[in-house]
Amino acid sequence: GRKKILEALLAVNEKLKKIFPQIFEGGRAELILQEGDPLSSGLDLWISVPEKNIQSLSMLSGGEKALCVLALLIGFYLVRPGPFCILD
């Protein structure tokens, strides 16, 4: 299980690195696995939005937060498509 999680995380990161700059017209994003056992540790989302010095996701506007989540969802979807996708 640990190996599959790490492989999936690498694949999602590759997709995220391609998608995020297209959505924000620049910038970058990366998923970072927190230290510890991959089966029980969390994920951090590190982003860099063009022309903004962001130190926390709470500093983003509502629209920017939504676009970050959209990029992340698309990254996961491109790695392992589900039977359907609902965006609210």
Side-chain angles (χ1 to χ4, degrees):
R2 288 173 182 85
K3 182 180 176 185
K4 286 190 175 204
I5 287 176
L6 294 174
E7 289 172 356
L9 182 62
L10 288 173
V12 170
N13 263 330
E14 289 303 314
K15 299 296 183 186
L16 190 59
K17 287 178 184 177
K18 292 177 183 175
I19 294 166
F20 193 86
Q22 291 177 351
I23 291 175
F24 278 93
E25 297 179 351
R28 50 182 260 257
E30 185 175 3
L31 276 176
I32 305 292
L33 188 64
Q34 293 176 350
E35 291 192 26
D37 183 18
L39 294 176
S40 60
S41 63
L43 288 172
D44 288 328
L45 177 61
W46 289 15
I47 63 164
S48 173
V49 178
E51 301 178 15
K52 282 194 174 185
N53 183 15
I54 301 201
Q55 297 162 352
S56 169
L57 288 177
S58 63
M59 296 175 71
L60 293 174
S61 71
E64 290 169 330
K65 288 178 190 176
L67 289 175
C68 287
V69 171
L70 182 64
L72 185 61
L73 285 173
I74 292 171
F76 276 106
Y77 188 79
L78 289 173
V79 170
R80 177 107 187 203
F84 57 87
C85 186
I86 298 173
L87 298 176
D88 184 2

